[in-house]
């Protein structure tokens, strides 16, 4: 069975600085997708970024980028130029070939002004 | 597009009562997922459907929980009888071609 691990329950960053959130996963599949979701206090789940495992190039979305290391089964999220609105719970997620989406435990990010 | 619609947004019920949570997926999405979120256990996948057929219900905690998807536009998650430990936020999500959309969730409190 696939598992997703986020080892940082909480992280803090100064406004305008850069922060990296860690995620590792375990799978025997070779083709899959990885995601980062943001959950603000409103509890809405918002897709931040998505990575296809067959693509070697790391995905980027504006200030958000990932470091995808397939052999190491690592998928970290880097947030550049952090803003107050980035404060939220961040979840790493793995999508298996069958469509099942499995989440890590989450990292709560706070942004200090 | 109204997104994934869940109702009710909040539900408070007494222990032992039956609770039914509802979800309307996005039209054209062929997969539907039910998740439960708690502080202790995070986001747990309870069950998911492909083309209205339950595929994996291994996350359903016990027989008190049941889920149905009678058609492509409606799903329910029922808890009978409810217990205080069922208190959580329950999310429904629908998916098409790898794109997932989540509802706003139902916060269930069982007293």
């Amino acid at each position: 069975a696939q598992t997703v691990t986020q080892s940082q329950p909480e992280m803090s960053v100064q406004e305008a600085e850069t922060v990296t959130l860690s995620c590792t996963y375990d799978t025997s599949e070779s083709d899959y997708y990885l995601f980062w979701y943001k959950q603000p206090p409103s509890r809405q789940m918002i897709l931040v970024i998505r990575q296809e495992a067959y693509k070697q190039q790391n995905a980027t979305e504006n200030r958000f980028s990932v470091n995808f290391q397939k052999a190491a089964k690592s998928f970290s999220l880097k947030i550049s130029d952090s803003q107050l609105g980035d404060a939220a719970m961040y979840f790493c997620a793995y999508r298996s070939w069958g469509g099942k989406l499995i989440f890590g435990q989450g990292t709560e990010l706070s942004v200090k002004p | 597009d109204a997104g994934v619609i869940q109702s009710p947004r909040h539900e408070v019920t007494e222990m032992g009562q039956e609770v039914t949570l509802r979800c309307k997926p996005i039209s054209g999405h062929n997969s539907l997922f039910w998740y439960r979120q708690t502080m202790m256990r995070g986001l747990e996948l309870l069950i998911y459907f492909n083309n209205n057929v339950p595929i994996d219900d291994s996350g359903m905690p016990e027989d008190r929980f049941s889920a149905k998807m009678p058609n492509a536009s409606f799903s329910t998650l029922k808890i009978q009888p409810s217990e205080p430990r069922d208190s959580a936020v329950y999310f429904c999500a629908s998916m098409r071609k790898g794109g997932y959309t989540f509802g706003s969730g139902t916060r269930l409190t069982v007293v």
Side-chain angles (χ1 to χ4, degrees):
Chain A
Q2 296 87 10
T3 59
V4 179
T5 303
Q6 294 178 248
S7 58
Q8 307 153 316
E10 299 176 349
M11 290 283 285
S12 181
V13 63
Q14 204 72 32
E15 194 176 7
E17 296 296 309
T18 295
V19 65
T20 298
L21 308 184
S22 301
C23 173
T24 59
Y25 58 95
D26 189 26
T27 184
S28 58
E29 295 178 331
S30 59
D31 195 12
Y32 48 87
Y33 293 80
L34 296 164
F35 304 82
W36 279 98
Y37 281 89
K38 171 184 177 182
Q39 187 180 42
S42 67
R43 81 176 185 233
Q44 186 66 40
M45 295 292 286
I46 301 166
L47 177 65
V48 175
I49 200 164
R50 158 180 157 157
Q51 174 82 42
E52 291 89 342
Y54 65 87
K55 290 187 177 179
Q56 292 186 335
Q57 187 172 5
N58 289 324
T60 62
E61 285 288 341
N62 301 315
R63 298 183 294 108
F64 299 86
S65 61
V66 298
N67 184 4
F68 173 47
Q69 301 290 328
K70 190 173 184 179
K73 296 179 183 174
S74 170
F75 184 61
S76 61
L77 174 70
K78 185 171 80 172
I79 306 174
S80 304
D81 185 25
S82 297
Q83 300 176 359
L84 295 177
D86 294 335
M89 184 73 84
Y90 286 82
F91 291 96
C92 178
Y94 172 99
R95 180 205 164 192
S96 66
W97 182 246
K100 192 172 176 178
L101 189 64
I102 301 163
F103 288 89
Q105 286 293 93
T107 298
E108 186 166 7
L109 177 68
S110 59
V111 181
K112 298 179 180 178
Chain B
D1 185 357
V4 175
I5 300 172
Q6 289 188 247
S7 63
R9 184 160 174 81
H10 304 276
E11 176 80 32
V12 180
T13 191
E14 291 185 346
M15 182 174 63
Q17 295 298 305
E18 177 180 298
V19 176
T20 299
L21 311 182
R22 296 172 175 79
C23 175
K24 177 178 170 55
I26 291 175
S27 177
H29 282 202
N30 58 348
S31 297
L32 183 140
F33 304 78
W34 281 101
Y35 288 89
R36 177 173 69 175
Q37 185 177 25
T38 61
M39 288 292 292
M40 291 298 295
R41 301 174 70 91
L43 274 157
E44 303 173 275
L45 177 63
L46 300 178
I47 185 171
Y48 77 100
F49 298 82
N50 279 348
N51 298 316
N52 313 339
V53 176
I55 301 301
D56 184 347
D57 65 354
S58 59
M60 296 287 262
E62 47 197 277
D63 292 346
R64 297 184 298 107
F65 286 69
S66 63
K68 294 182 179 179
M69 192 165 185
N71 56 61
S73 58
F74 185 64
S75 178
T76 59
L77 178 67
K78 184 179 293 185
I79 308 173
Q80 165 64 15
S82 57
E83 297 182 4
R85 59 193 168 117
D86 301 331
S87 296
V89 177
Y90 291 81
F91 285 98
C92 174
S94 67
M95 186 270 284
R96 177 176 179 271
K97 293 186 177 180
Y100 298 83
T101 304
F102 285 79
S104 298
T106 294
R107 180 176 293 280
L108 173 66
T109 303
V110 183
V111 298

